[in-house]
mmCIF file of all heavy atoms in Angstrom:
data_model
loop_
_atom_site.group_PDB
_atom_site.id
_atom_site.type_symbol
_atom_site.label_atom_id
_atom_site.label_comp_id
_atom_site.label_asym_id
_atom_site.label_seq_id
_atom_site.Cartn_x
_atom_site.Cartn_y
_atom_site.Cartn_z
ATOM 1 N N ILE Y 157 20.702 -4.699 -11.549
ATOM 2 C CA ILE Y 157 20.615 -5.670 -10.350
ATOM 3 C C ILE Y 157 21.274 -6.935 -10.661
ATOM 4 O O ILE Y 157 22.008 -7.479 -9.813
ATOM 5 C CB ILE Y 157 19.087 -5.827 -10.147
ATOM 6 C CG1 ILE Y 157 18.380 -4.539 -9.625
ATOM 7 C CG2 ILE Y 157 18.885 -7.043 -9.206
ATOM 8 C CD1 ILE Y 157 16.840 -4.737 -9.592
ATOM 9 N N ASN Y 158 21.161 -7.461 -11.907
ATOM 10 C CA ASN Y 158 21.849 -8.686 -12.250
ATOM 11 C C ASN Y 158 23.494 -8.526 -12.002
ATOM 12 O O ASN Y 158 24.013 -9.372 -11.439
ATOM 13 C CB ASN Y 158 21.695 -8.988 -13.681
ATOM 14 C CG ASN Y 158 20.627 -10.164 -13.822
ATOM 15 O OD1 ASN Y 158 20.668 -11.215 -13.024
ATOM 16 N ND2 ASN Y 158 19.787 -10.102 -14.793
ATOM 17 N N ASN Y 159 23.894 -7.394 -12.589
ATOM 18 C CA ASN Y 159 25.376 -7.122 -12.387
ATOM 19 C C ASN Y 159 25.789 -6.975 -11.037
ATOM 20 O O ASN Y 159 26.936 -7.514 -10.659
ATOM 21 C CB ASN Y 159 25.755 -5.881 -13.210
ATOM 22 C CG ASN Y 159 25.654 -6.128 -14.702
ATOM 23 O OD1 ASN Y 159 25.629 -7.207 -15.180
ATOM 24 N ND2 ASN Y 159 25.473 -5.032 -15.446
ATOM 25 N N GLU Y 160 24.966 -6.278 -10.200
ATOM 26 C CA GLU Y 160 25.417 -6.045 -8.810
ATOM 27 C C GLU Y 160 25.494 -7.439 -8.027
ATOM 28 O O GLU Y 160 26.205 -7.731 -7.184
ATOM 29 C CB GLU Y 160 24.358 -5.151 -8.155
ATOM 30 C CG GLU Y 160 24.386 -3.656 -8.560
ATOM 31 C CD GLU Y 160 25.786 -3.087 -8.130
ATOM 32 O OE1 GLU Y 160 26.139 -3.195 -6.928
ATOM 33 O OE2 GLU Y 160 26.555 -2.619 -9.016
ATOM 34 N N ALA Y 161 24.340 -8.343 -8.371
ATOM 35 C CA ALA Y 161 24.405 -9.674 -7.708
ATOM 36 C C ALA Y 161 25.609 -10.431 -8.134
ATOM 37 O O ALA Y 161 26.245 -11.143 -7.391
ATOM 38 C CB ALA Y 161 23.115 -10.285 -7.999
ATOM 39 N N ARG Y 162 25.947 -10.341 -9.418
ATOM 40 C CA ARG Y 162 26.939 -11.151 -10.030
ATOM 41 C C ARG Y 162 28.296 -10.734 -9.465
ATOM 42 O O ARG Y 162 29.132 -11.574 -9.212
ATOM 43 C CB ARG Y 162 27.021 -10.994 -11.628
ATOM 44 C CG ARG Y 162 28.005 -11.965 -12.158
ATOM 45 C CD ARG Y 162 28.057 -11.728 -13.821
ATOM 46 N NE ARG Y 162 26.769 -12.127 -14.270
ATOM 47 C CZ ARG Y 162 25.935 -11.248 -14.933
ATOM 48 N NH1 ARG Y 162 26.284 -9.904 -15.083
ATOM 49 N NH2 ARG Y 162 24.736 -11.602 -15.323
ATOM 50 N N ALA Y 163 28.454 -9.463 -9.126
ATOM 51 C CA ALA Y 163 29.755 -8.969 -8.503
ATOM 52 C C ALA Y 163 29.797 -9.566 -7.082
ATOM 53 O O ALA Y 163 30.922 -9.606 -6.540
ATOM 54 C CB ALA Y 163 29.647 -7.464 -8.378
ATOM 55 N N ARG Y 164 28.705 -10.052 -6.487
ATOM 56 C CA ARG Y 164 28.682 -10.730 -5.173
ATOM 57 C C ARG Y 164 28.645 -12.266 -5.273
ATOM 58 O O ARG Y 164 28.464 -12.893 -4.287
ATOM 59 C CB ARG Y 164 27.538 -10.238 -4.354
ATOM 60 C CG ARG Y 164 27.656 -8.703 -3.950
ATOM 61 C CD ARG Y 164 26.462 -8.136 -3.441
ATOM 62 N NE ARG Y 164 26.566 -6.885 -2.898
ATOM 63 C CZ ARG Y 164 26.431 -5.728 -3.764
ATOM 64 N NH1 ARG Y 164 26.258 -5.775 -4.913
ATOM 65 N NH2 ARG Y 164 26.659 -4.591 -3.057
ATOM 66 N N GLY Y 165 28.843 -12.796 -6.503
ATOM 67 C CA GLY Y 165 28.884 -14.202 -6.774
ATOM 68 C C GLY Y 165 27.417 -14.846 -6.792
ATOM 69 O O GLY Y 165 27.438 -16.037 -6.530
ATOM 70 N N LYS Y 166 26.493 -14.054 -7.074
ATOM 71 C CA LYS Y 166 25.127 -14.558 -7.007
ATOM 72 C C LYS Y 166 24.492 -14.412 -8.350
ATOM 73 O O LYS Y 166 24.843 -13.475 -9.182
ATOM 74 C CB LYS Y 166 24.254 -13.853 -5.961
ATOM 75 C CG LYS Y 166 24.882 -13.716 -4.540
ATOM 76 C CD LYS Y 166 24.980 -15.073 -3.863
ATOM 77 C CE LYS Y 166 25.548 -14.792 -2.449
ATOM 78 N NZ LYS Y 166 25.888 -16.158 -1.850
ATOM 79 N N THR Y 167 23.395 -15.166 -8.639
ATOM 80 C CA THR Y 167 22.534 -14.876 -9.816
ATOM 81 C C THR Y 167 21.187 -14.713 -9.285
ATOM 82 O O THR Y 167 20.825 -15.044 -8.055
ATOM 83 C CB THR Y 167 22.444 -16.221 -10.656
ATOM 84 O OG1 THR Y 167 22.015 -17.418 -9.939
ATOM 85 C CG2 THR Y 167 23.795 -16.478 -11.317
ATOM 86 N N VAL Y 168 20.355 -13.969 -10.014
ATOM 87 C CA VAL Y 168 19.023 -13.594 -9.595
ATOM 88 C C VAL Y 168 17.971 -14.045 -10.534
ATOM 89 O O VAL Y 168 17.950 -13.717 -11.741
ATOM 90 C CB VAL Y 168 18.907 -12.043 -9.478
ATOM 91 C CG1 VAL Y 168 17.697 -11.722 -8.721
ATOM 92 C CG2 VAL Y 168 20.174 -11.405 -8.623
ATOM 93 N N GLU Y 169 16.974 -14.755 -10.007
ATOM 94 C CA GLU Y 169 15.793 -15.159 -10.877
ATOM 95 C C GLU Y 169 15.015 -13.949 -11.248
ATOM 96 O O GLU Y 169 14.922 -12.900 -10.499
ATOM 97 C CB GLU Y 169 14.886 -16.074 -10.056
ATOM 98 C CG GLU Y 169 15.523 -17.416 -9.781
ATOM 99 C CD GLU Y 169 14.582 -18.369 -8.989
ATOM 100 O OE1 GLU Y 169 13.541 -17.798 -8.445
ATOM 101 O OE2 GLU Y 169 14.764 -19.599 -9.061
ATOM 102 N N PRO Y 170 14.437 -13.963 -12.508
ATOM 103 C CA PRO Y 170 13.685 -12.731 -12.964
ATOM 104 C C PRO Y 170 12.550 -12.399 -12.029
ATOM 105 O O PRO Y 170 12.370 -11.204 -11.742
ATOM 106 C CB PRO Y 170 13.046 -13.399 -14.251
ATOM 107 C CG PRO Y 170 13.979 -14.430 -14.821
ATOM 108 C CD PRO Y 170 14.570 -15.011 -13.524
ATOM 109 N N ALA Y 171 11.851 -13.355 -11.439
ATOM 110 C CA ALA Y 171 10.844 -12.949 -10.429
ATOM 111 C C ALA Y 171 11.464 -12.255 -9.199
ATOM 112 O O ALA Y 171 10.816 -11.425 -8.585
ATOM 113 C CB ALA Y 171 10.014 -14.240 -9.943
ATOM 114 N N ALA Y 172 12.640 -12.580 -8.857
ATOM 115 C CA ALA Y 172 13.285 -12.047 -7.629
ATOM 116 C C ALA Y 172 13.645 -10.576 -8.040
ATOM 117 O O ALA Y 172 13.589 -9.673 -7.159
ATOM 118 C CB ALA Y 172 14.594 -12.877 -7.283
ATOM 119 N N ILE Y 173 14.121 -10.345 -9.294
ATOM 120 C CA ILE Y 173 14.475 -8.919 -9.742
ATOM 121 C C ILE Y 173 13.180 -8.125 -9.645
ATOM 122 O O ILE Y 173 13.222 -6.924 -9.119
ATOM 123 C CB ILE Y 173 15.025 -8.973 -11.182
ATOM 124 C CG1 ILE Y 173 16.328 -9.624 -11.166
ATOM 125 C CG2 ILE Y 173 15.062 -7.554 -11.739
ATOM 126 C CD1 ILE Y 173 16.899 -9.753 -12.552
ATOM 127 N N GLU Y 174 12.030 -8.600 -10.147
ATOM 128 C CA GLU Y 174 10.806 -7.882 -10.135
ATOM 129 C C GLU Y 174 10.412 -7.538 -8.568
ATOM 130 O O GLU Y 174 9.915 -6.502 -8.358
ATOM 131 C CB GLU Y 174 9.701 -8.658 -10.843
ATOM 132 C CG GLU Y 174 9.843 -8.709 -12.317
ATOM 133 C CD GLU Y 174 8.796 -9.461 -13.010
ATOM 134 O OE1 GLU Y 174 7.719 -9.778 -12.333
ATOM 135 O OE2 GLU Y 174 8.948 -9.667 -14.220
ATOM 136 N N ALA Y 175 10.676 -8.556 -7.756
ATOM 137 C CA ALA Y 175 10.303 -8.373 -6.328
ATOM 138 C C ALA Y 175 11.185 -7.224 -5.747
ATOM 139 O O ALA Y 175 10.713 -6.488 -4.819
ATOM 140 C CB ALA Y 175 10.498 -9.671 -5.557
ATOM 141 N N ILE Y 176 12.491 -7.278 -6.132
ATOM 142 C CA ILE Y 176 13.400 -6.152 -5.610
ATOM 143 C C ILE Y 176 12.856 -4.856 -5.957
ATOM 144 O O ILE Y 176 12.860 -3.886 -5.135
ATOM 145 C CB ILE Y 176 14.825 -6.525 -6.027
ATOM 146 C CG1 ILE Y 176 15.381 -7.682 -5.318
ATOM 147 C CG2 ILE Y 176 15.711 -5.253 -5.815
ATOM 148 C CD1 ILE Y 176 16.798 -8.115 -5.842
ATOM 149 N N ILE Y 177 12.528 -4.693 -7.250
ATOM 150 C CA ILE Y 177 12.233 -3.400 -7.816
ATOM 151 C C ILE Y 177 10.760 -3.023 -7.112
ATOM 152 O O ILE Y 177 10.546 -1.789 -6.686
ATOM 153 C CB ILE Y 177 11.938 -3.431 -9.190
ATOM 154 C CG1 ILE Y 177 13.265 -3.648 -9.879
ATOM 155 C CG2 ILE Y 177 11.308 -2.034 -9.766
ATOM 156 C CD1 ILE Y 177 13.311 -3.853 -11.386
ATOM 157 N N GLY Y 178 9.935 -4.030 -6.918
ATOM 158 C CA GLY Y 178 8.560 -3.760 -6.351
ATOM 159 C C GLY Y 178 8.677 -3.300 -4.792
ATOM 160 O O GLY Y 178 7.985 -2.474 -4.356
ATOM 161 N N ARG Y 179 9.747 -3.891 -4.156
ATOM 162 C CA ARG Y 179 9.863 -3.469 -2.749
ATOM 163 C C ARG Y 179 10.791 -2.300 -2.582
ATOM 164 O O ARG Y 179 10.508 -1.447 -1.670
ATOM 165 C CB ARG Y 179 10.540 -4.679 -1.928
ATOM 166 C CG ARG Y 179 9.536 -6.000 -2.015
ATOM 167 C CD ARG Y 179 9.713 -6.762 -0.637
ATOM 168 N NE ARG Y 179 8.440 -7.390 -0.499
ATOM 169 C CZ ARG Y 179 7.932 -7.655 0.644
ATOM 170 N NH1 ARG Y 179 8.640 -7.217 1.764
ATOM 171 N NH2 ARG Y 179 6.762 -8.333 0.794
ATOM 172 N N ALA Y 180 11.816 -2.105 -3.375
ATOM 173 C CA ALA Y 180 12.696 -1.064 -3.188
ATOM 174 C C ALA Y 180 12.367 0.259 -3.980
ATOM 175 O O ALA Y 180 12.917 1.317 -3.639
ATOM 176 C CB ALA Y 180 14.106 -1.495 -3.438
ATOM 177 N N GLY Y 181 11.591 0.124 -5.080
ATOM 178 C CA GLY Y 181 11.405 1.210 -5.901
ATOM 179 C C GLY Y 181 12.496 1.285 -7.101
ATOM 180 O O GLY Y 181 13.199 0.274 -7.152
ATOM 181 N N LYS Y 182 12.673 2.469 -7.606
ATOM 182 C CA LYS Y 182 13.745 2.580 -8.667
ATOM 183 C C LYS Y 182 14.849 3.468 -8.432
ATOM 184 O O LYS Y 182 15.733 3.632 -9.248
ATOM 185 C CB LYS Y 182 12.913 3.290 -9.883
ATOM 186 C CG LYS Y 182 11.816 2.160 -10.396
ATOM 187 C CD LYS Y 182 11.176 2.693 -11.701
ATOM 188 C CE LYS Y 182 10.180 1.679 -12.326
ATOM 189 N NZ LYS Y 182 9.675 2.163 -13.534
ATOM 190 N N HIS Y 183 14.938 3.991 -7.186
ATOM 191 C CA HIS Y 183 16.148 4.797 -6.746
ATOM 192 C C HIS Y 183 17.318 3.699 -6.491
ATOM 193 O O HIS Y 183 17.194 2.796 -5.744
ATOM 194 C CB HIS Y 183 15.897 5.633 -5.567
ATOM 195 C CG HIS Y 183 15.032 6.836 -5.826
ATOM 196 N ND1 HIS Y 183 15.484 7.863 -6.724
ATOM 197 C CD2 HIS Y 183 13.755 7.091 -5.425
ATOM 198 C CE1 HIS Y 183 14.460 8.727 -6.822
ATOM 199 N NE2 HIS Y 183 13.458 8.374 -6.079
ATOM 200 N N LEU Y 184 18.466 3.974 -7.194
ATOM 201 C CA LEU Y 184 19.486 2.906 -7.060
ATOM 202 C C LEU Y 184 20.034 2.816 -5.595
ATOM 203 O O LEU Y 184 20.398 1.639 -5.239
ATOM 204 C CB LEU Y 184 20.588 3.293 -7.931
ATOM 205 C CG LEU Y 184 20.476 3.144 -9.474
ATOM 206 C CD1 LEU Y 184 21.832 3.213 -10.143
ATOM 207 C CD2 LEU Y 184 19.886 1.810 -9.673
ATOM 208 N N SER Y 185 20.009 3.865 -4.773
ATOM 209 C CA SER Y 185 20.497 3.676 -3.402
ATOM 210 C C SER Y 185 19.618 2.658 -2.719
ATOM 211 O O SER Y 185 20.092 1.794 -1.898
ATOM 212 C CB SER Y 185 20.379 4.971 -2.649
ATOM 213 O OG SER Y 185 19.209 5.545 -2.666
ATOM 214 N N ASP Y 186 18.333 2.709 -2.891
ATOM 215 C CA ASP Y 186 17.302 1.804 -2.201
ATOM 216 C C ASP Y 186 17.557 0.398 -2.841
ATOM 217 O O ASP Y 186 17.523 -0.541 -2.004
ATOM 218 C CB ASP Y 186 15.943 2.242 -2.373
ATOM 219 C CG ASP Y 186 15.637 3.574 -1.589
ATOM 220 O OD1 ASP Y 186 16.362 3.799 -0.564
ATOM 221 O OD2 ASP Y 186 14.849 4.329 -2.049
ATOM 222 N N VAL Y 187 17.603 0.267 -4.179
ATOM 223 C CA VAL Y 187 17.803 -1.026 -4.752
ATOM 224 C C VAL Y 187 19.181 -1.616 -4.432
ATOM 225 O O VAL Y 187 19.170 -2.774 -4.147
ATOM 226 C CB VAL Y 187 17.775 -0.826 -6.328
ATOM 227 C CG1 VAL Y 187 18.067 -2.186 -7.041
ATOM 228 C CG2 VAL Y 187 16.321 -0.279 -6.838
ATOM 229 N N ASN Y 188 20.167 -0.828 -4.401
ATOM 230 C CA ASN Y 188 21.467 -1.362 -3.964
ATOM 231 C C ASN Y 188 21.395 -1.923 -2.557
ATOM 232 O O ASN Y 188 21.920 -3.030 -2.221
ATOM 233 C CB ASN Y 188 22.544 -0.264 -3.961
ATOM 234 C CG ASN Y 188 23.892 -0.731 -3.717
ATOM 235 O OD1 ASN Y 188 24.297 -1.731 -4.348
ATOM 236 N ND2 ASN Y 188 24.671 -0.084 -2.810
ATOM 237 N N ASN Y 189 20.653 -1.185 -1.599
ATOM 238 C CA ASN Y 189 20.550 -1.768 -0.236
ATOM 239 C C ASN Y 189 19.805 -3.078 -0.227
ATOM 240 O O ASN Y 189 20.122 -4.026 0.430
ATOM 241 C CB ASN Y 189 19.787 -0.712 0.635
ATOM 242 C CG ASN Y 189 20.658 0.427 0.912
ATOM 243 O OD1 ASN Y 189 21.807 0.445 0.936
ATOM 244 N ND2 ASN Y 189 19.865 1.579 1.347
ATOM 245 N N ALA Y 190 18.736 -3.109 -1.106
ATOM 246 C CA ALA Y 190 18.000 -4.407 -1.176
ATOM 247 C C ALA Y 190 18.773 -5.597 -1.720
ATOM 248 O O ALA Y 190 18.723 -6.648 -1.144
ATOM 249 C CB ALA Y 190 16.707 -4.204 -2.011
ATOM 250 N N VAL Y 191 19.677 -5.248 -2.713
ATOM 251 C CA VAL Y 191 20.501 -6.217 -3.204
ATOM 252 C C VAL Y 191 21.495 -6.839 -2.241
ATOM 253 O O VAL Y 191 21.710 -8.038 -2.084
ATOM 254 C CB VAL Y 191 21.291 -5.790 -4.495
ATOM 255 C CG1 VAL Y 191 22.301 -6.892 -4.940
ATOM 256 C CG2 VAL Y 191 20.240 -5.540 -5.585
ATOM 257 N N GLN Y 192 22.113 -5.812 -1.484
ATOM 258 C CA GLN Y 192 23.087 -6.190 -0.389
ATOM 259 C C GLN Y 192 22.398 -7.030 0.733
ATOM 260 O O GLN Y 192 22.897 -8.109 1.152
ATOM 261 C CB GLN Y 192 23.636 -4.932 0.206
ATOM 262 C CG GLN Y 192 24.539 -4.224 -0.590
ATOM 263 C CD GLN Y 192 25.094 -2.938 -0.063
ATOM 264 O OE1 GLN Y 192 24.650 -2.406 0.860
ATOM 265 N NE2 GLN Y 192 26.182 -2.468 -0.595
ATOM 266 N N LEU Y 193 21.129 -6.661 1.035
ATOM 267 C CA LEU Y 193 20.486 -7.366 2.028
ATOM 268 C C LEU Y 193 20.204 -8.778 1.751
ATOM 269 O O LEU Y 193 20.430 -9.713 2.416
ATOM 270 C CB LEU Y 193 19.156 -6.683 2.481
ATOM 271 C CG LEU Y 193 19.211 -5.398 3.356
ATOM 272 C CD1 LEU Y 193 17.911 -4.612 3.325
ATOM 273 C CD2 LEU Y 193 19.687 -5.850 4.828
ATOM 274 N N VAL Y 194 19.636 -8.910 0.486
ATOM 275 C CA VAL Y 194 19.179 -10.259 0.066
ATOM 276 C C VAL Y 194 20.338 -11.225 -0.213
ATOM 277 O O VAL Y 194 20.319 -12.438 0.109
ATOM 278 C CB VAL Y 194 18.183 -10.205 -1.132
ATOM 279 C CG1 VAL Y 194 18.887 -9.897 -2.401
ATOM 280 C CG2 VAL Y 194 17.422 -11.535 -1.283
ATOM 281 N N CYS Y 195 21.494 -10.654 -0.695
ATOM 282 C CA CYS Y 195 22.688 -11.423 -0.881
ATOM 283 C C CYS Y 195 23.274 -11.914 0.403
ATOM 284 O O CYS Y 195 23.798 -12.988 0.546
ATOM 285 C CB CYS Y 195 23.728 -10.690 -1.756
ATOM 286 S SG CYS Y 195 23.308 -10.562 -3.467
ATOM 287 N N SER Y 196 23.217 -11.129 1.376
ATOM 288 C CA SER Y 196 23.696 -11.525 2.662
ATOM 289 C C SER Y 196 22.836 -12.485 3.328
ATOM 290 O O SER Y 196 23.255 -13.344 3.982
ATOM 291 C CB SER Y 196 23.849 -10.197 3.592
ATOM 292 O OG SER Y 196 24.745 -9.282 3.181
ATOM 293 N N TYR Y 197 21.469 -12.282 3.105
ATOM 294 C CA TYR Y 197 20.472 -13.214 3.683
ATOM 295 C C TYR Y 197 20.648 -14.624 3.246
ATOM 296 O O TYR Y 197 20.506 -15.567 4.072
ATOM 297 C CB TYR Y 197 19.047 -12.682 3.337
ATOM 298 C CG TYR Y 197 18.004 -13.529 3.813
ATOM 299 C CD1 TYR Y 197 17.508 -13.515 5.150
ATOM 300 C CD2 TYR Y 197 17.302 -14.454 2.921
ATOM 301 C CE1 TYR Y 197 16.517 -14.387 5.581
ATOM 302 C CE2 TYR Y 197 16.308 -15.328 3.275
ATOM 303 C CZ TYR Y 197 15.892 -15.252 4.620
ATOM 304 O OH TYR Y 197 14.913 -16.095 5.001
ATOM 305 N N ILE Y 198 20.974 -14.879 1.923
ATOM 306 C CA ILE Y 198 21.031 -16.220 1.421
ATOM 307 C C ILE Y 198 22.381 -16.901 1.803
ATOM 308 O O ILE Y 198 22.549 -18.068 1.560
ATOM 309 C CB ILE Y 198 20.762 -16.291 0.069
ATOM 310 C CG1 ILE Y 198 21.851 -15.599 -0.849
ATOM 311 C CG2 ILE Y 198 19.405 -15.688 -0.484
ATOM 312 C CD1 ILE Y 198 21.619 -15.733 -2.390
ATOM 313 N N GLY Y 199 23.313 -16.143 2.281
ATOM 314 C CA GLY Y 199 24.518 -16.779 2.599
ATOM 315 C C GLY Y 199 25.291 -17.490 1.555
ATOM 316 O O GLY Y 199 25.663 -16.829 0.595
ATOM 317 N N ASP Y 200 25.488 -18.789 1.653
ATOM 318 C CA ASP Y 200 26.226 -19.541 0.670
ATOM 319 C C ASP Y 200 25.425 -19.930 -0.429
ATOM 320 O O ASP Y 200 26.046 -20.500 -1.443
ATOM 321 C CB ASP Y 200 26.855 -20.805 1.354
ATOM 322 C CG ASP Y 200 27.951 -20.434 2.407
ATOM 323 O OD1 ASP Y 200 28.597 -19.349 2.321
ATOM 324 O OD2 ASP Y 200 28.114 -21.214 3.340
ATOM 325 N N GLU Y 201 24.207 -19.768 -0.503
ATOM 326 C CA GLU Y 201 23.310 -20.122 -1.614
ATOM 327 C C GLU Y 201 23.734 -19.199 -2.816
ATOM 328 O O GLU Y 201 24.097 -18.024 -2.702
ATOM 329 C CB GLU Y 201 21.864 -19.990 -1.361
ATOM 330 C CG GLU Y 201 21.306 -20.963 -0.405
ATOM 331 C CD GLU Y 201 19.762 -20.894 -0.298
ATOM 332 O OE1 GLU Y 201 19.170 -20.879 -1.359
ATOM 333 O OE2 GLU Y 201 19.247 -20.901 0.733
ATOM 334 N N SER Y 202 23.664 -19.793 -4.045
ATOM 335 C CA SER Y 202 24.137 -19.088 -5.217
ATOM 336 C C SER Y 202 23.112 -18.281 -5.868
ATOM 337 O O SER Y 202 23.450 -17.364 -6.743
ATOM 338 C CB SER Y 202 24.841 -20.057 -6.078
ATOM 339 O OG SER Y 202 23.887 -21.026 -6.623
ATOM 340 N N THR Y 203 21.761 -18.688 -5.661
ATOM 341 C CA THR Y 203 20.694 -18.052 -6.509
ATOM 342 C C THR Y 203 19.718 -17.240 -5.549
ATOM 343 O O THR Y 203 19.280 -17.776 -4.580
ATOM 344 C CB THR Y 203 19.972 -19.131 -7.212
ATOM 345 O OG1 THR Y 203 20.814 -19.836 -8.049
ATOM 346 C CG2 THR Y 203 18.733 -18.451 -8.136
#
Side-chain angles (χ1 to χ4, degrees):
I157 292 171
N158 255 324
N159 291 337
E160 289 295 305
R162 190 178 297 115
R164 295 169 171 81
K166 312 293 184 185
T167 58
V168 191
E169 290 183 343
I173 292 177
E174 292 181 6
I176 288 172
I177 296 172
R179 295 213 154 215
K182 295 185 178 181
H183 287 295
L184 285 192
S185 58
D186 293 329
V187 174
N188 186 51
N189 287 338
V191 172
Q192 290 178 341
L193 281 170
V194 74
C195 287
S196 297
Y197 175 79
I198 66 173
D200 294 334
E201 291 189 47
S202 60
T203 303

